[in-house]
Amino acid sequence: MNEVLSLPSPFLLLLPLSIAAGVDFFLTLLVAGLSLGFGWPGMQELGPDSLHWGILVVLSALYLAEAASEIKPVPALFWHFLQLFLRPLGGVLLAFTLLHGLPLHLLVIGASMSGVVCAFTHVLTWGRKLSLFLSPRERVSRTTEVLAEDTLVLVFLALTVDRPDIAFLVSGPILLFGLLLGGQYHHLVRFGVSLSKDRAWGFLSPRRWREGSELPSWTQGAMVGQDMSPSRGIPVGVMGLPGLRGFREGWLLTAGGADVFTYRKRRKPRTFSLEGFTSGPVEDLGFALKVPMKAPEEDEWALFLQKSHTGLRSHK
């Protein structure tokens, strides 16, 4: 089993299983449990006592529930918001299961690593799925996307339980790749959290625009040097904005009678004037409102607003 690395077998399994669990937690546990039950070579050292068939039935039901929630945008939004808290906890429990019997310091290191990796890969996964819901480009069906993602997870899990040493080595480049290319997904997840809170509690506070005194302090700093102060603002997201790659969250401000999009880049506030842009028909995505924006000789981009429970009028 340790032909490439001379590490304890549970440690070789923990990192790749944590990556897979961050993407699809219940499928990962289901495959790991089945491999124990059928004596897959890479899992034999954990022992058959780790398997409880009743738990596998529960995991199967939870996996099907998760797959069903992925199809529609609103259930997917709430499901992944909930998983932001559950995936790290699941990673810690996964580490306790795999590393039982090892010294306490190894158990603490493994549990901490697994929780962080699960949270990190879930943020990347949720961010990518949000980008597909928001993207104005044509794409394949959600069912096809779910099946394709699960297939990739199954391939990685098959490698993990068959050759955990190689899967451990592959995990490093996977995490590095996600760290380098996952910046925009972080912005998407923060916007997704705002959307989730709005959908859950928006009926208690239907007013979406905030007065100038209620805006974050950094938005005031973004207007320094422009001899104007924002009179009101609303949190928004943009995709395809000229000069910006991917998705970016920020605030739509009304200042001096003009609309300005402001955001932070490397912690420094930046502004983008919407003068000259015209808005197209508003599209209801179920969990957000999409406003196409266009200017002469410019590519179309999209502005996304939290969906109001009292209708679009509260955004005006």
Side-chain angles (χ1 to χ4, degrees):
M1 178 175 177
N2 297 351
E3 296 178 14
V4 179
L5 296 172
S6 56
L7 288 174
S9 300
F11 259 101
L12 292 180
L13 288 166
L14 182 59
L15 182 58
L17 284 180
S18 297
I19 293 176
V23 178
D24 197 322
F25 184 70
F26 301 113
L27 179 61
T28 300
L29 294 186
L30 185 59
V31 171
L34 289 173
S35 64
L36 278 172
F38 292 103
W40 203 306
M43 306 289 285
Q44 284 180 347
E45 296 183 31
L46 296 181
D49 292 338
S50 303
L51 174 68
H52 299 282
W53 290 101
I55 295 179
L56 294 183
V57 174
V58 175
L59 290 175
S60 300
L62 290 173
Y63 165 70
L64 292 176
E66 180 176 57
S69 72
E70 297 279 9
I71 305 301
K72 297 296 183 180
V74 174
L77 183 73
F78 284 112
W79 179 268
H80 285 289
F81 175 73
L82 180 63
Q83 294 303 312
L84 279 178
F85 306 97
L86 297 183
R87 292 290 166 91
L89 178 60
V92 171
L93 295 177
L94 178 65
F96 283 150
T97 301
L98 290 176
L99 305 181
H100 69 281
L102 293 183
L104 179 61
H105 69 282
L106 292 179
L107 186 61
V108 172
I109 293 173
S112 301
M113 178 198 70
S114 182
V116 170
V117 169
C118 279
F120 175 70
T121 52
H122 176 65
V123 166
L124 295 180
T125 302
W126 188 19
R128 183 189 63 83
K129 291 177 179 178
L130 274 174
S131 70
L132 294 175
F133 277 123
L134 298 176
S135 176
R137 298 184 298 272
E138 293 293 329
R139 56 186 180 83
V140 297
S141 69
R142 284 294 303 149
T143 302
T144 303
E145 290 170 0
V146 171
L147 292 175
E149 179 184 272
D150 288 352
T151 300
L152 290 176
V153 172
L154 285 172
V155 170
F156 187 62
L157 287 172
L159 174 65
T160 299
V161 298
D162 190 49
R163 290 298 303 270
D165 47 356
I166 295 178
F168 183 88
L169 291 176
V170 171
S171 298
I174 291 176
L175 292 174
L176 180 61
F177 181 78
L179 187 63
L180 293 176
L181 300 182
Q184 68 163 320
Y185 295 150
H186 176 255
H187 291 285
L188 278 158
V189 167
R190 289 181 58 172
F191 188 62
V193 170
S194 297
L195 292 174
S196 301
K197 292 179 179 178
D198 178 76
R199 293 292 295 173
W201 306 107
F203 65 93
L204 295 178
S205 56
R207 182 172 63 89
R208 296 294 175 265
W209 287 94
R210 299 186 189 179
E211 301 302 322
S213 60
E214 300 175 313
L215 296 174
S217 58
W218 68 266
T219 61
Q220 304 284 346
M223 308 304 294
V224 172
Q226 301 189 29
D227 297 326
M228 61 180 68
S229 178
S231 59
R232 64 174 188 168
I234 185 173
V236 299
V238 298
M239 182 174 287
L241 186 72
L244 281 179
R245 295 180 56 186
F247 181 89
R248 184 76 61 168
E249 61 168 341
W251 285 77
L252 177 62
L253 305 178
T254 298
D259 292 326
V260 176
F261 173 69
T262 181
Y263 62 98
R264 284 192 289 189
K265 185 176 182 179
R266 297 186 180 93
R267 297 189 177 183
K268 293 183 178 180
R270 310 290 176 90
T271 59
F272 184 90
S273 175
L274 302 187
E275 184 178 358
F277 287 91
T278 57
S279 59
V282 177
E283 180 181 353
D284 188 344
L285 301 178
F287 64 99
L289 297 175
K290 173 186 170 184
V291 184
M293 304 293 291
K294 189 74 171 66
E297 301 181 359
E298 293 279 359
D299 293 333
E300 183 178 288
W301 55 282
L303 182 75
F304 299 95
L305 301 133
Q306 297 175 353
K307 184 179 177 182
S308 171
H309 288 264
T310 57
L312 180 61
R313 183 172 300 176
S314 64
H315 289 295
K316 296 181 179 180

